[in-house]
């Protein structure tokens, strides 16, 4: 049974494997939040006790470890998962055991589980703003490239619809293995050279990001006129590239380490104080951080960590996250977030180039953005 002296939670982020770099930032931010909460007295006089495993970026291992967390470790709440394939591997385990998964990564949308709290951006909180920015500043002809699994296929479908709604054109679409090889990168470069898009939208994830961006630069392409726009690229990837390789490329997210607000600066400072000045928190890390605080606030209110106690309390709490105040939407289990667009500067940092300072309600099923190519939508964000 539950240890009477602590609230046990599962922490399921990869330290190794193809998405190890970005997931390490999520793990780090989760443990930072737990330590901060415990240092302030815990919740209802009890500490939060993390049970931490490394699923090695492997969907089957996520599933096995989720079973272990629920069945052996007697955990009712799990913080974890990055790729959609890993979330989909874990969710049936969580649902069958009446547990709760907090999922802190942007994803393709079009999902709901009563047993999952989605704290990363849904497409209406990043893709919409990104496409508006790209079409206004770079052009409407897009080339799509992604890793060969569920998120890239679904994200590219949404991005295609958004470009088409604005009178744009999808020139080509291709998928490459998660473990990107030299010949795969060469094939992407050949396609880009052949179609000459205004923008490349990339859903390549993990370790393949660096060789792709490097080859793009070596091919002589200019990010100032033909950028790679990628929501799966973050500070964790840019820091592993030469600044001139990353410079000029674009992403959209609710949080950047360069966000210049007192709350964001305090978070970045605490993160670097613990993990080193070379470490920058990513948007997925920021979501991993604030979701622990949302859990703690709900737990304080509910008095117990069972699903029937926690869920109603979660819908009633709000937290002043580094990106801005966040709250969970009771109809979708997704989070109200603050969309922003940023471009990599010559020093390898993100300059925020679009920040409407508006909190956007989640619309994971894109109800306001249904593909209807005969008209533009009245709800579109204007850049």
């Amino acid at each position: 049974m539950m240890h009477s002296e602590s609230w046990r939670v599962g922490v399921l982020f990869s330290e190794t494997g193809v998405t190890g770099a970005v997931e390490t930032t999520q793990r780090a931010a989760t443990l930072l939040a737990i330590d901060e909460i415990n240092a302030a007295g815990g919740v209802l006089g009890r500490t939060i006790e993390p049970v931490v495993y490394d699923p090695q970026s492997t969907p089957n291992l996520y599933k096995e470890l989720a079973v272990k967390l629920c069945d052996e470790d007697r955990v009712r709440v799990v913080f974890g998962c990055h790729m959609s394939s890993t979330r989909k591997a874990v969710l049936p385990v969580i649902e069958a055991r009446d547990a709760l998964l907090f999922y802190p990564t942007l994803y393709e949308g079009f999902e709901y589980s009563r047993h999952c709290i989605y704290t990363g951006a849904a497409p209406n909180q990043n893709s919409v703003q990104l496409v508006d920015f790209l079409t206004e500043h770079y052009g409407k002809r897009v080339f799509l490239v992604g890793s060969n699994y569920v998120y890239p296929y679904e994200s590219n479908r949404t991005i295609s619809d958004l470009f088409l709604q604005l009178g744009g054109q999808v020139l080509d679409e291709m998928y490459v293995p998660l473990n990107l090889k030299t010949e795969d990168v060469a094939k992407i470069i050949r396609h880009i050279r052949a179609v000459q898009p205004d923008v490349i939208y990339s859903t390549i994830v993990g370790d393949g990001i660096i060789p792709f961006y490097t080859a793009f630069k070596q091919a002589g392409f200019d990010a100032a006129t033909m950028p790679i726009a990628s929501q799966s690229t973050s500070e964790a990837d840019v820091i592993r590239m030469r600044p001139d390789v990353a410079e000029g490329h674009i992403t959209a997210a609710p949080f950047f380490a360069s966000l210049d607000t007192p709350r964001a600066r305090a978070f970045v400072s605490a993160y670097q104080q613990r993990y080193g000045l070379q470490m920058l928190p990513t948007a997925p890390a920021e979501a991993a951080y604030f979701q622990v605080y949302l859990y703690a606030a709900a737990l304080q209110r509910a008095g117990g960590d069972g699903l029937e106690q926690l869920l109603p309390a979660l819908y009633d709490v709000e937290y002043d996250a580094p990106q801005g105040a966040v709250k969970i939407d009771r109809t979708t289990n997704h989070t109200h977030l603050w969309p922003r667009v940023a471009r990599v500067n010559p020093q390898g940092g993100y300059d925020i180039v679009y920040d409407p300072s508006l909190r956007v309600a989640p619309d994971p099923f894109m109800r306001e953005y249904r593909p209807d190519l005969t008209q533009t939508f009245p709800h579109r964000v204007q850049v």
Side-chain angles (χ1 to χ4, degrees):
M1 291 300 290
M2 169 76 67
H3 286 200
S4 59
E5 71 275 8
S6 67
W7 304 103
R8 300 188 101 192
V9 297
V11 178
L12 209 50
F13 294 111
S14 300
E15 296 169 77
T16 55
V18 69
T19 51
V22 67
E23 290 196 57
T24 296
T25 72
Q26 294 178 288
R27 177 185 178 276
T30 302
L31 296 177
L32 175 64
I34 289 172
D35 283 355
E36 288 176 350
I37 292 162
N38 287 342
V43 181
L44 300 173
R46 293 157 64 176
T47 58
I48 300 172
E49 178 194 346
V51 183
V52 185
Y53 295 118
D54 174 11
Q56 301 169 24
S57 308
T58 308
N60 282 345
L61 194 48
Y62 279 86
K63 184 176 183 175
E64 288 171 22
L65 291 172
V67 170
K68 183 174 168 62
L69 281 168
C70 293
D71 292 359
E72 295 177 30
D73 300 313
R74 299 295 176 193
V75 157
R76 290 173 169 172
V77 171
V78 175
F79 300 106
C81 302
H82 185 82
M83 289 187 288
S84 286
S85 52
T86 65
R87 182 191 70 256
K88 288 180 180 295
V90 164
L91 260 181
V93 175
I94 297 289
E95 290 169 342
R97 288 152 179 81
D98 223 21
L100 186 62
L101 173 69
F102 282 80
Y103 175 65
T105 309
L106 70 131
Y107 86 113
E108 65 278 0
F110 298 92
E111 184 179 287
Y112 167 82
S113 169
R114 185 165 181 264
H115 296 262
C116 186
I117 300 295
Y118 306 78
T119 57
N124 78 301
Q125 297 166 316
N126 55 10
S127 297
V128 168
Q129 294 77 10
L130 181 62
V131 171
D132 283 339
F133 183 84
L134 293 172
T135 54
E136 179 165 325
H137 295 279
Y138 295 96
K140 296 183 177 180
R141 300 164 65 256
V142 65
F143 168 74
L144 306 168
V145 60
S147 299
N148 190 13
Y149 78 104
V150 62
Y151 163 69
Y153 283 99
E154 293 304 311
S155 181
N156 285 346
R157 184 170 64 87
T158 297
I159 290 287
S160 297
D161 288 344
L162 293 171
F163 265 94
L164 293 169
Q165 286 165 15
L166 292 179
Q169 188 181 0
V170 178
L171 301 175
D172 202 355
E173 180 173 352
M174 69 179 292
Y175 295 91
V176 290
L178 264 172
N179 294 310
L180 204 58
K181 295 183 170 59
T182 308
E183 57 265 31
D184 301 318
V185 177
K187 188 177 175 186
I188 300 168
I189 299 300
R190 284 199 303 273
H191 274 253
I192 293 171
R193 206 181 290 288
V195 300
Q196 293 291 315
D198 299 322
V199 174
I200 295 98
Y201 179 69
S202 170
T203 45
I204 291 173
V205 304
D207 290 341
I209 292 169
I210 288 90
F212 171 42
Y213 279 61
T214 304
F216 184 89
K217 176 73 175 178
Q218 289 169 345
F221 298 136
D222 185 0
T225 54
M226 185 176 69
I228 299 169
S230 172
Q231 297 172 129
S232 52
T233 302
S234 72
E235 290 91 341
D237 308 295
V238 170
I239 208 165
R240 297 158 70 202
M241 303 181 207
R242 288 203 325 262
D244 65 315
V245 166
E247 182 185 353
H249 295 302
I250 313 280
T251 191
F255 173 82
F256 293 95
S258 55
L259 184 59
D260 194 16
T261 64
R263 185 70 190 88
R265 287 195 302 268
F267 169 56
V268 173
S269 172
Y271 188 92
Q272 290 186 320
Q273 200 171 335
R274 173 155 174 172
Y275 299 110
L277 292 176
Q278 285 306 302
M279 295 294 288
L280 286 172
T282 58
E286 188 257 358
Y289 178 81
F290 77 64
Q291 68 181 16
V292 178
Y293 274 94
L294 283 172
Y295 156 77
L299 187 59
Q300 180 81 34
R301 180 179 287 238
D305 64 353
L307 187 76
E308 302 306 328
Q309 295 164 287
L310 263 188
L311 272 183
L314 266 170
Y315 303 139
D316 286 338
V317 297
E318 189 165 295
Y319 175 66
D320 182 23
Q323 65 172 272
V326 295
K327 66 176 182 178
I328 306 300
D329 179 67
R330 70 176 65 236
T331 59
T332 65
N333 275 11
H334 288 63
T335 310
H336 293 248
L337 301 171
W338 301 77
R340 297 170 170 99
V341 178
R343 180 166 46 216
V344 182
N345 64 32
Q347 291 74 46
Y350 277 111
D351 289 337
I352 296 173
V353 290
Y354 172 61
D355 185 356
S357 298
L358 287 173
R359 186 165 78 174
V360 174
D363 180 16
F365 294 93
M366 296 290 278
R367 290 187 177 92
E368 296 187 359
Y369 306 95
R370 289 279 185 224
D372 177 353
L373 306 183
T374 62
Q375 60 180 18
T376 52
F377 281 75
H379 305 288
R380 296 193 60 74
V381 175
Q382 294 304 316
V383 179

